[in-house]
């Protein structure tokens, strides 16, 4: 790349993560890999949203990424979720009180996502590149590819349908058409309304579902935020410009770890981001 670097607010790099992920080493591995595998003439900002307040040592480490030539500013903020509300319970046998945890068994991350995005919609960035620590860039032009996509496509959310090893099964589920949370979000009223509407829609679905006998419940107190956005958009015919792209490849179920990078790229040669568990091990 050339030596002339230009700051852009076209895209902000947004990571939603947790203290647990940082303590495991996931956050540092993630940033080190992304920034070591970056070729662009753009300078951009990083925003990092934690579930709880982080200590000074963590803060100082993450702020050090401002020393990277392509990073202007790093902003770190916390949603300060109390421990008894910061829950993520995968087992259907687990039951929570929806009056206390209206987002159900995944209340923690769902609350964190919606609060983070509410704050981001107030910023001057045109688009948000939302990433998670189990995503990985496939080519060093990943940032430029996102800028090009944003400049040439109309979208509210641009990401990936499920593209893992169990597509036949997923295609038969109620959530088959949803885009995974990792992706590009347009900073506009249409996207903001889609997310704010889905937030209340999830709560309503869970409340109504709970009125049924447990065996007849469809959701069993668990609707991930990305699925909730899709269900709300589908119900209210708001999925125009809700784009599945070839930039992102989502294979993030616990059953996709055998789907290796080489095989994925043979099938999706234009992929810039791969989202799969344990990519850094």
């Amino acid at each position: 790349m050339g030596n002339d670097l230009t700051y852009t607010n076209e895209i902000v790099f947004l990571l939603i993560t947790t203290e647990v992920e940082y303590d495991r080493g996931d956050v540092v591995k993630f940033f080190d890999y992304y920034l070591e595998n970056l070729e662009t003439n753009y300078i951009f900002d990083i925003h990092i949203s934690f579930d709880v307040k982080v200590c000074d040592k963590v803060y100082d480490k993450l702020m050090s990424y401002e020393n990277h030539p392509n990073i202007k500013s790093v902003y770190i903020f916390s949603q300060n979720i109390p421990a008894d509300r910061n829950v993520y319970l995968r087992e259907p046998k687990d039951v929570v009180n929806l009056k206390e945890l209206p987002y159900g068994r995944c209340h923690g991350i769902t609350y964190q996502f919606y609060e983070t995005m509410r704050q981001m919609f107030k910023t001057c960035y045109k688009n948000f590149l939302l990433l998670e620590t189990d995503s990985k860039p496939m080519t060093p032009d990943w940032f430029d590819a996102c800028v090009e996509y944003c400049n040439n496509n109309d979208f509210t959310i641009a990401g990936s349908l499920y593209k893992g090893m169990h597509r036949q099964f997923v295609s038969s589920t109620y959530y088959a058409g949803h885009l995974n949370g990792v992706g590009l979000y347009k900073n506009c009223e249409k996207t903001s309304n889609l997310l704010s509407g889905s937030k209340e829609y999830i709560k309503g679905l869970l409340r109504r579902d709970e009125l049924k006998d447990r065996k007849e419940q469809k959701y069993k107190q668990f609707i991930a935020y990305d699925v909730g956005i899709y269900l709300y958009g589908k119900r209210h015919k708001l999925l125009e410009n809700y784009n599945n792209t070839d930039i992102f490849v989502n294979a993030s179920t616990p059953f996709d770890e055998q789907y290796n990078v080489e095989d994925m790229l043979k099938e999706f040669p234009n992929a810039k981001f791969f989202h799969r568990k344990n990519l850094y091990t």
Side-chain angles (χ1 to χ4, degrees), residues 212-260:
K212 303 173 185 176
D213 182 82
R214 184 71 175 178
K215 293 181 180 179
E216 297 177 358
Q217 290 178 13
K218 186 174 186 178
Y219 308 111
K220 293 183 172 56
Q221 298 189 326
F222 194 100
I223 301 176
Y225 69 79
D226 48 7
V227 173
I229 294 168
Y230 164 69
L231 294 177
Y232 173 74
K234 182 179 179 182
R235 174 69 177 80
H236 295 279
K237 297 180 171 58
L238 298 173
L239 295 182
E240 182 182 8
N241 304 132
Y242 178 82
N243 298 353
N244 177 44
T245 77
D246 60 358
I247 296 176
F248 299 93
V249 173
N250 166 41
S252 60
T253 76
F255 313 107
D256 284 312
E257 290 187 27
Q258 301 306 312
Y259 190 26
N260 63 50

Side-chain angles (χ1 to χ4, degrees), residues 54-163:
V54 296
C55 67
D56 290 344
K57 183 179 179 181
V58 172
Y59 183 87
D60 291 343
K61 170 58 182 174
L62 296 175
M63 291 301 297
S64 73
Y65 290 115
E66 289 186 345
N67 296 323
H68 190 282
N70 293 107
I71 305 305
K72 179 183 179 185
S73 300
V74 176
Y75 300 93
I76 303 167
F77 51 106
S78 164
Q79 302 307 332
N80 296 312
I81 307 174
D84 60 349
R85 300 176 68 83
N86 197 10
V87 301
Y88 187 84
L89 305 170
R90 290 292 303 182
E91 292 297 326
K93 64 180 177 60
D94 293 319
V95 179
V96 301
N97 184 340
L98 290 182
K99 291 182 179 179
E100 297 176 359
L101 303 172
Y103 296 119
R105 292 188 284 116
C106 54
H107 181 90
I109 181 56
T110 305
Y111 175 86
Q112 183 181 359
F113 168 80
Y114 283 116
E115 280 300 296
T116 299
M117 298 304 282
R118 180 184 65 81
Q119 295 159 7
M120 295 304 298
F121 281 121
K122 298 178 181 180
T123 67
C124 65
Y125 306 107
K126 296 178 182 179
N127 304 280
F128 319 131
L129 172 59
L130 174 57
L131 296 169
E132 297 175 3
T133 58
D134 55 355
S135 69
K136 198 171 192 178
M138 294 293 101
T139 60
D141 64 341
W142 55 267
F143 189 85
D144 286 3
C146 288
V147 172
E148 181 179 1
Y149 185 90
C150 291
N151 287 335
N152 290 285
N153 294 275
D154 293 325
F155 67 96
T156 52
I157 302 174
S160 174
L161 295 171
Y162 176 73
K163 297 168 184 171

Side-chain angles (χ1 to χ4, degrees), residues 262-278:
E262 292 76 16
D263 290 340
M264 183 278 292
L265 288 174
K266 287 178 182 177
E267 188 172 4
F268 302 104
N270 295 324
K272 303 299 180 182
F273 303 89
F274 190 25
H275 187 197
R276 199 209 72 194
K277 306 299 181 189
N278 296 316

Side-chain angles (χ1 to χ4, degrees), residues 189-200:
E189 185 177 6
K190 190 173 182 180
T191 313
S192 178
N193 290 341
L194 177 62
L195 266 58
S196 61
S198 69
K199 176 172 68 173
E200 298 306 317

